[in-house]
Amino acid sequence: AQSVTQLGSHVSVSEGALVLLRCNYSSSVPPYLFWYVQYPNQGLQLLLKYTSAATLVKGINGFEAEFKKSETSFHLTKPSAHMRDAAEYFCAVSDPGTASKLTFGTGTRLQVTL
Amino acid sequence: EPEVTQTPSHQVTQMGQEVILRCVPISNHLYFYWYRQILGQKVEFLVSFYNNEISEKSEIFDDQFSVERPDGSNFTLKIRSTKLEDSAMYFCASSAGQFYNSPLHFGNGTRLTVT
């Protein structure tokens, strides 16, 4: 069975600081990995995805993530946080056979302070 | 940009009552899904639906749950006899295909409260 673990349920950074949200995966086959963002009272929006092409994946809103097989990690980063980045972020994994059934992590709430 | 829309945004029901959650997927999408998120917990897969039948379901999706695509646009989740533990945010999603180049598009969710 596939799973993802997100370390840190809450992360707080200052505006302009580096954002690092951690995700480690477990999968018996090379996985597809995703990051989703959920703004208050909204649905889940895809930030970026890894599908076995380039290991450094760039997404929307200046976010990127790097797939590291040796570390079974897919951490999400952004060089400079904005207030509007405050949201809940979910890492998810799927079986490459079908990218439709996602297994989500527990989420990390990002707080951005002045 | 096309959106997945869900109604109602919040539904309150009494234990034992039937409830129907409604979704309008993106019009050219062929695959449909329900996920749920109990407060403070993970987003969990419930069911996927393609070609007018369930393609996969989780162990959560027991006989109390059913899905239907009654016409060309709506996709519904019915809970026959609600329990307190069904209280959650229910997300509908759709995708054009089943593979990596067809990401899921989620609706804003329906918050179901069972009292």
Side-chain angles (χ1 to χ4, degrees):
Chain A
Q2 297 168 298
S3 65
V4 289
T5 301
Q6 292 183 243
L7 295 174
S9 59
H10 289 85
V11 170
S12 182
V13 300
S14 301
E15 193 173 34
L18 172 72
V19 176
L20 171 61
L21 304 182
R22 298 177 187 274
C23 174
N24 288 87
Y25 70 89
S26 172
S27 177
S28 57
V29 297
Y32 289 165
L33 293 158
F34 305 81
W35 275 98
Y36 279 83
V37 61
Q38 184 180 28
Y39 298 103
N41 301 315
Q42 293 188 27
L44 297 159
Q45 181 182 5
L46 180 66
L47 269 180
L48 49 80
K49 61 182 188 279
Y50 166 77
T51 55
S52 73
T55 56
L56 182 62
V57 180
K58 293 189 185 299
I60 62 172
N61 301 339
F63 284 93
E64 62 182 38
E66 186 171 7
F67 174 73
K68 291 187 177 180
K69 185 178 177 181
S70 60
E71 298 177 8
T72 61
S73 68
F74 189 59
H75 301 332
L76 181 71
T77 61
K78 181 173 180 177
S80 177
H82 291 275
M83 296 296 289
R84 62 177 177 265
D85 295 326
E88 185 113 23
Y89 292 80
F90 293 93
C91 183
V93 64
S94 75
D95 184 329
T98 161
S100 58
K101 179 188 169 187
L102 299 173
T103 300
F104 284 88
T106 49
T108 298
R109 183 167 298 279
L110 176 65
Q111 181 182 21
V112 182
T113 58
L114 288 171
Chain B
E1 186 179 324
E3 289 182 344
V4 175
T5 56
Q6 290 186 243
T7 55
S9 57
H10 192 185
Q11 172 102 38
V12 181
T13 189
Q14 288 190 323
M15 196 167 52
Q17 296 295 304
E18 175 183 286
V19 67
I20 297 176
L21 310 182
R22 300 181 193 280
C23 170
V24 179
I26 294 173
S27 63
N28 63 342
H29 284 187
L30 301 175
Y31 295 82
F32 313 110
Y33 315 86
W34 285 99
Y35 283 75
R36 80 171 185 190
Q37 183 182 26
I38 295 172
L39 188 64
Q41 299 186 24
K42 295 183 183 186
V43 177
E44 302 172 291
F45 169 79
L46 291 178
V47 66
S48 58
F49 190 87
Y50 169 70
N51 200 24
N52 281 322
E53 60 183 30
I54 291 173
S55 38
E56 193 170 359
K57 60 183 181 180
S58 71
E59 51 276 10
I60 302 167
F61 195 87
D62 61 23
D63 292 344
Q64 292 299 311
F65 291 89
S66 62
V67 289
E68 194 177 36
R69 189 157 161 79
D71 51 41
S73 60
N74 289 285
F75 179 53
T76 62
L77 174 70
K78 182 194 290 187
I79 308 175
R80 243 178 292 281
S81 177
T82 50
K83 302 188 275 278
L84 293 175
E85 53 265 36
D86 293 327
S87 295
M89 181 75 93
Y90 288 81
F91 292 105
C92 174
S94 68
S95 65
Q98 204 179 6
F99 302 106
Y100 69 91
N101 57 347
S102 300
L104 271 64
H105 293 257
F106 285 84
N108 287 352
T110 292
R111 182 169 296 286
L112 176 66
T113 302
V114 182
T115 61

